[in-house]
Amino acid sequence: MALTWRSFDFFEATPIKITDDDTRAFFESNSISSVCSGSESLFLGSYDGLVRIVGPSWKVVRSFRAYETGPITHMRQVEGTSLLVTVAEEPSTTDSTNMPLLKVWALDKPVKKTGIPTCLSTLAINNGKKPFPISAFTATEDLSQLAVGFANGAVTVIRGDLIHDLGTKQRIIYESDEPITGVELRVDSNLTTLFVATTSRILKLVISGKGHGQAPKTVEDNGCGVGCMAVDKKTGDIIVARDDAIYTYSLDGRGPPTAYEAHKKLISVYHDYFALVSPPTPAAESDTLRRRLWGGASDNIFTFTLIHPELRIIAHSESVLSDIQHIFQIWGDLYTLTQEGKVYRYHEKSLQQRLEMLYQRNLYTLAVEVAQKSGMDGQQQNVIFRKHGDYLYQKGNYDEAMAQYIKAIDSTEPSQVIRKFLDTQRIHNLIEYLEELHEHHRATSDHTTLLLNCYAKLKDIEKLEKFIKSPGDLKFDLDTAISMCRQGGYYEQAAYLAKKHGENDLVVDILIEDSKAYSEALDFICHLDAETAYPCLMKYARVLIEHCPKEATEVFIAYYTGKYQPRIDPPTVENTPVAATTNGGFAAGAANAVQNLSSLLPLPYMNTTAVVGTSKPTVGDAEVKPEAIPITYTPPRPRTAFSSFIDHPDEFIVFLEACLQEESLSPSDKTDINTTLFEMYLHKSNEKRNDDQHRQEWEAKAKSLIEESSQKPSIENSNVLLLSHLSDFRAGTTLVKEQSGLLFDIFRSYTSAKDTRGAIKALRKYGPEEPQLYPAALAYLTSDQKILDEAGPEELDSILTHIDKFGLMAPLQVVQTLSKYPVATMGMIKPYLSKRIERERKDIEENRGHLGAFRTETEEKRRQISELENEPVVFQNTRCSACGAGLELPVVHFLCRHSFHGRCLRNGNLGIGGGGTDGKAVGECPTCAVENDTIRALKRSQGENAERHELFRDGLERSEDRFRTVAECC
């Protein structure tokens, strides 16, 4: 026993001093036959049939006679109520035998006359009229079921309502030749099981519920003594004490025993402890020392022990010179009552006191168990773990010490532990602790840095990868881990971390700036949603276009045309695990990365000699969970991407042409794209100055862009002119001027450049629209002999012909223009002058003929007017000018020599002699009225236009013969 059980003094044993004389005298009289406790009171039954109730002051506060003569052998107080059950053996009225008599008392209902509690029911317990004493008694909490064991081996079960005295039923359910030493009831929902102990066996039987009526079943073929059977109220298990061990029984059978060799007289369950009373050891077994100390009394020494069966500790043990008759619990403590009437209290020491005892003996594991059994919270238990760790550390047992520090990690300052293991070469333990810090989410960025540093010092790439790929929530400072991996050369691990935790910007930074994996970076961007991909794409646009021109341009086109959709990789299943390699490849790169990291962050007492190569993760190892959901977004303005294509004109042109195909472009964006595309066309045309075909090809594209713009203006003329001038693209300038109607400027641009052929070509093209080009062309051709020789006399004659045809210049002006430079000769303009003089002569002759005709007509009109005014008129018409019939009176004659019937004029609604209301003259000839109306309208119009000088000026400017225009107006 001494080898397996540890002994402590967890209880304070204190003898109770009873100050009340009567109470003390009762205790010392050895008259107590039974004891029970409950409802904050102690109940004492005596041999004379009295029940005494003792209060916390250890004074009898109440007493009453329960039986006339019989001793009270058993009592049971129902906790939380005022009910008390007593059992006594009173003499029978028919014979000399004693009959067990059970009574139920209501302590809160005293009888008015006597003052004693009301007896609710009285029951004589049936034992088949056999005169054997009661050896065991038990009852349920509601007193609906009771069991009584007798010394003759019979067990009687009582069922009914004892509280309200509504009747009960008794039945002897078991009989044997062995005396009953204990009975206990176990109630589980609808099942009540009775455990019976005899001197040689343990039995159980169901007294109510499923299985009721079946024969008792033997649980074990070993019994126990009287008082050695109890029940654990926490678990409901039946506890049986034998000399070799303590056994527990449940409905499933016997549980694991607790070996504790000692003679046992009584057993009681107190919290997690078993209280045991051992009788005196026989003289033959007494040791010499004990006999020396106790003398002759050594054979009468009883032992009281409190053991914790689960922890296998003896919490208290003491020797008592008097036999312990009863063990009871009340007022929060455990009490014993000896045969001499002495009462001892056993109070469990505080948890802290018990732990201090264990600390002194360095029993930290046991201290933890005690703390857990006592319900200590985890935060306080960590103190024990930390003390245990300190103890093991001092002994040099670093591995076990670290295990304890890890258990206390939640309430321990990490720096205290880290400092201890930094001062030694226990780097493996330090790594273990730092990893646990991250697992418990207590690590700071410094801890992450230190852990990665330790991995690098040990060249343990496998652990580094395991740390980085640890499942679950993030257990370390992400920024620190990524930064350390980048500094040490773990670019793909850094990218893995960033990708796994959604740091998309960092993934792109690492792939481009560190790994130089431009294609992989572009592919990663293409897997992002539109809003996330845009800033990444713009940040490294130039780099991506530089190294992945075609792919990057396609991405830009898709994004800026609103057709971008994140890529979705098909699910893949990898069956082959990545094996570690030791030759070349990635292992060498990983080893170099470790070397870089170890040199970057030195750790005390560590060397950097060996490098172990292992595999490392790639960015693709991180789990990607794309969602096939259509993406809708607002594409940015195309001009935001223009700067990204610097030094990449071919890709820029592809991008611009693709954007230009979108019909949803705003006018401003279309203008930006057309203008920029025009500029790029001109830029490409000047790349190969000696390749005319190349230049013409790109200039044709630029020209077509301007021509399209003429139909739907999208490029400002000023921009076209500026860009064309900078790129020496004359066709562009010409087209813009054509569209703007600046034909004279086109011609002037040729003459300024001394481009005679171009000037002549422009003259032929634009001359009909802009006749003023001919005078300018005449001045240009005659300004230099070389120009004139290049153009030829035929061109000069053509210009003079057009000038003469359109009347652009007077002959004098032509002569003055040609006389400015000593180039043209008289012979060159002689045909022109000859034709002009001849035509003017014809015009003079024609004008003279017209003048004579007008004079003759004027004279004729004057003569007619004079005749009408001064001479009579003879009307000789015989027919009506209206109907053609012969004239009949009344007849109307007009001075214009037209005659009409009077009725014809009336039918025509033309009154004679009345005033006209429509502007016609009174009595006007219907036949001449139309001609007269026209003349009056012309006259009225001339009067109205006389004040509108702008019409006169406009007609004068558009007239080929202004003198004639003036004459006609006059």
Side-chain angles (χ1 to χ4, degrees), residues 376-387:
M376 178 182 281
D377 59 24
Q379 196 76 7
Q380 293 175 323
Q381 291 181 32
N382 289 338
V383 176
I384 306 175
F385 293 131
R386 188 163 60 248
K387 288 180 177 291

Side-chain angles (χ1 to χ4, degrees), residues 575-599:
N575 297 323
T576 305
V578 180
T581 60
T582 56
N583 298 323
F586 172 73
N592 293 334
V594 173
Q595 189 69 25
N596 295 338
L597 186 57
S598 62
S599 61

Side-chain angles (χ1 to χ4, degrees), residues 600-748:
L600 181 65
L601 297 172
L603 191 64
Y605 309 109
M606 296 302 297
N607 54 41
T608 56
T609 55
V611 176
V612 180
T614 60
S615 63
K616 71 175 183 178
T618 62
V619 178
D621 292 339
E623 185 179 359
V624 180
K625 298 180 179 179
E627 296 182 0
I629 300 177
I631 300 297
T632 57
Y633 63 97
T634 302
R637 298 190 63 185
R639 68 178 305 122
T640 59
F642 289 177
S643 60
S644 304
F645 290 91
I646 293 176
D647 298 329
H648 296 85
D650 294 328
E651 289 75 16
F652 195 17
I653 290 173
V654 173
F655 171 75
L656 293 172
E657 289 176 345
C659 291
L660 197 58
Q661 301 300 320
E662 287 300 309
E663 298 180 356
S664 60
L665 281 177
S666 63
S668 59
D669 289 339
K670 188 171 293 187
T671 299
D672 292 339
I673 294 175
N674 278 317
T675 303
T676 308
L677 186 59
F678 178 71
E679 181 181 2
M680 296 310 300
Y681 285 158
L682 296 182
H683 173 77
K684 290 292 294 182
S685 67
N686 292 323
E687 279 188 345
K688 301 177 181 180
R689 294 185 177 275
N690 297 328
D691 191 343
D692 292 340
Q693 182 179 356
H694 174 83
R695 182 182 181 90
Q696 291 174 4
E697 179 182 351
W698 288 103
E699 285 185 350
K701 290 186 176 183
K703 186 176 180 181
S704 64
L705 200 61
I706 301 175
E707 292 174 348
E708 293 176 1
S709 180
S710 65
Q711 300 174 0
K712 296 181 180 180
S714 59
I715 306 179
E716 294 183 3
N717 292 336
S718 57
N719 290 332
V720 176
L721 291 174
L722 176 61
L723 294 173
S724 299
H725 174 73
L726 294 176
S727 300
D728 194 21
F729 180 49
R730 186 173 296 172
T733 304
T734 302
L735 285 173
V736 172
K737 290 181 178 179
E738 281 184 8
Q739 296 171 6
S740 303
L742 303 176
L743 306 179
F744 206 96
D745 290 344
I746 297 174
F747 180 79
R748 188 180 293 112

